[in-house]
Amino acid sequence: SGVISNSSSEPPHAGSWDAWLDGYGSTHTDTVSQSVTLPATATSATLAFWLHIDTAETGSTAYDNLAVELDNSSGTKLKTLGTFSNLNAGNGYAQHSFDVSPYLGQTVVVKFTGTEDSSNQTSFVLDDVTLTTQ
């Protein structure tokens, strides 16, 4: 709830909407997920997305984190594809992609989970999430 946003405070990479996880400056967890079936007839599959991270954290410690994972339809984690933190903050969006070909023929849940500690906000803003098969 409250993750899909069209706020001008965290503008999207393209279009009018994005997924804005965390950014509260207090202990908080936000999740956004989508179930998708990867066709067994495909030969490859790639998950790609644009991510913008801004933070009020300082120093060299990862206090706030974003996990990108694939779960099965029962909610069991299949794989953590990647992790990001306040240490990855920067200006603008950066594109990231992961090979999900090992899961062809399966229904998976693409899940983004942001966790924030008790102080200093970190915003994880996702946009243009695609899952491409060939």
Side-chain angles (χ1 to χ4, degrees), residues 12-105:
H13 175 256
S16 301
W17 295 84
D18 56 30
W20 179 1
L21 289 80
D22 298 325
Y24 294 92
S26 59
T27 303
H28 190 84
T29 299
D30 276 328
T31 300
V32 63
S33 63
Q34 176 70 50
S35 177
V36 62
T37 300
L38 300 171
T41 57
T43 57
S44 67
T46 302
L47 173 70
F49 56 89
W50 289 85
L51 175 63
H52 168 64
I53 303 170
D54 67 56
T55 188
E57 298 286 5
T58 58
S60 58
T61 302
Y63 294 106
D64 308 318
N65 296 284
L66 176 72
V68 183
E69 69 183 50
L70 288 184
D71 294 351
N72 66 19
S73 55
S74 300
T76 302
K77 183 180 357 178
L78 297 171
K79 183 172 180 74
T80 299
L81 298 172
T83 57
F84 303 89
S85 75
N86 51 280
L87 299 178
N88 302 113
N91 294 326
Y93 281 86
Q95 189 176 35
H96 303 276
S97 63
F98 298 95
D99 179 17
V100 294
S101 299
Y103 305 97
L104 290 171

Side-chain angles (χ1 to χ4, degrees), residues 82-134:
T83 57
F84 303 89
S85 75
N86 51 280
L87 299 178
N88 302 113
N91 294 326
Y93 281 86
Q95 189 176 35
H96 303 276
S97 63
F98 298 95
D99 179 17
V100 294
S101 299
Y103 305 97
L104 290 171
Q106 298 181 44
T107 297
V108 297
V109 177
V110 178
K111 183 176 176 183
F112 298 90
T113 303
T115 55
E116 200 171 16
D117 73 350
S118 60
S119 64
N120 295 322
Q121 78 84 26
T122 299
S123 294
F124 300 100
V125 186
L126 295 156
D127 201 8
D128 299 322
V129 179
T130 59
L131 202 149
T132 306
T133 60
Q134 294 185 0

